[in-house]
């Protein structure tokens, strides 16, 4: 073997030795690792002891709160058992009255044992019912606003019929600050809102001084499917608007006349029907002098017979 070949072979051996070290490093220094581990354990024991001393020094009632992801901890301030609580600590917060609709003008607008609280709850149910449709097709949604923007003008029992089986209650509410704005008639059955009609005051140039709500018929009639065979006795209601010149409104239905309540631009009348009828309620309006200035029998726009 020539000297050049021996030099090459020796060089190859050196390279192989270097590769072997790279793949299999030198022996791990276990004695040094054990020494460092023992030191670390002693350090943790000392730290734990310091924490126990700190906790023992805290008064009864103090709580250590873990810092969670922050890795730290804090201690909540709390008086010891023997400490005398301050006046501010014992004072009960003043209860707040939940916002809701306003009461009607008279208690007589809450009928059939329906309390104001129940009527106000019904308004919330009706608004929640409407909220289900506020993301419908364009033009089909309408934000009715919060409950405290309304005034309840009528709450009464509703009688089920062939079109809407099951008894329940009607609640009628209008906007407080804009009585001619939104008006909703809502039917509650089985503890839930089952139907909602949204409208407004039917004001227009040349309108008569007393104007029955165009969709108020659902309050005083049963389904056309049951014509001549209504469930009796039947609680009915009539609502509508009136002009400032009107001082009194009466409603005759089934041979009985009821005087309406005038409530912030709306008139509200009610009664109990004891017999089958074919004529719609007859509405009359009087001025401050007692003169008859409106009669639905003479109003060509008013449907005088029931459908």
């Amino acid at each position: 073997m020539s000297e050049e070949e021996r030099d090459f072979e020796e060089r190859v051996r050196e390279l192989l030795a270097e590769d072997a070290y790279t793949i299999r490093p030198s022996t791990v220094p276990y004695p040094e690792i054990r020494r460092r581990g023992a030191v670390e354990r002693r350090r943790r024991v000392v730290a734990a002891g310091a924490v126990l001393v700190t906790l023992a020094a805290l008064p009864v009632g103090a709580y250590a709160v873990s810092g969670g992801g922050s890795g730290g901890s804090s201690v909540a301030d709390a008086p010891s058992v023997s400490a005398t609580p301050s006046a501010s600590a014992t004072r009960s917060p003043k209860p707040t009255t939940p916002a809701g609709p306003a009461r009607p003008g008279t208690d007589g607008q809450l009928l059939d044992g329906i309390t104001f609280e129940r009527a106000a709850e019904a308004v919330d149910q009706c608004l929640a019912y409407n909220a289900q449709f506020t993301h419908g097709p364009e033009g089909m949604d309408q934000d009715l606003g919060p409950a405290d923007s309304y005034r309840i003008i009528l709450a009464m029992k509703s009688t089920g019929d062939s079109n809407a089986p099951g008894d329940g209650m009607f609640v009628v509410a209008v906007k407080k600050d804009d009585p001619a704005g939104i008006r909703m008639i809502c039917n509650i059955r089985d503890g839930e809102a089952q139907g909602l009609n949204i409208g407004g005051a039917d004001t227009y140039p040349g309108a008569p001084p007393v104007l029955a709500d165009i969709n108020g018929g659902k309050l005083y009639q049963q389904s056309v499917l049951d014509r001549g065979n209504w469930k009796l006795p039947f609680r009915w209601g009539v609502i509508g608007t009136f002009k400032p010149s009107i001082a009194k409104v009466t409603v005759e239905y089934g041979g009985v006349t009821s005087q309406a309540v005038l409530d912030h631009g709306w008139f509200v009348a009610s009664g109990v029907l004891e017999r089958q009828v074919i004529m719609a309620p007859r509405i009359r309006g009087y001025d401050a002098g007692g003169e008859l200035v409106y009669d639905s029998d003479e109003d060509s726009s008013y449907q005088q017979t029931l459908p």
Side-chain angles (χ1 to χ4, degrees), residues 7 16 25 27 37 42 72 117 123 139 170 190 198 204-205 217 244 252 293:
D7 290 341
L16 290 174
T27 307
R42 285 196 297 271
E117 290 73 21
V123 170
F170 279 118
D190 299 325
I198 303 168
Y204 56 88
E252 179 188 347
V293 294

Side-chain angles (χ1 to χ4, degrees), residues 210 248-250 252 257 282-286 292 294-296:
V210 178
K248 177 182 175 181
V249 175
T250 63
E252 179 188 347
T257 300
R282 182 179 182 180
I283 304 170
R284 298 181 178 93
Y286 304 83
L292 178 65
Y294 174 80
D295 188 338
S296 61

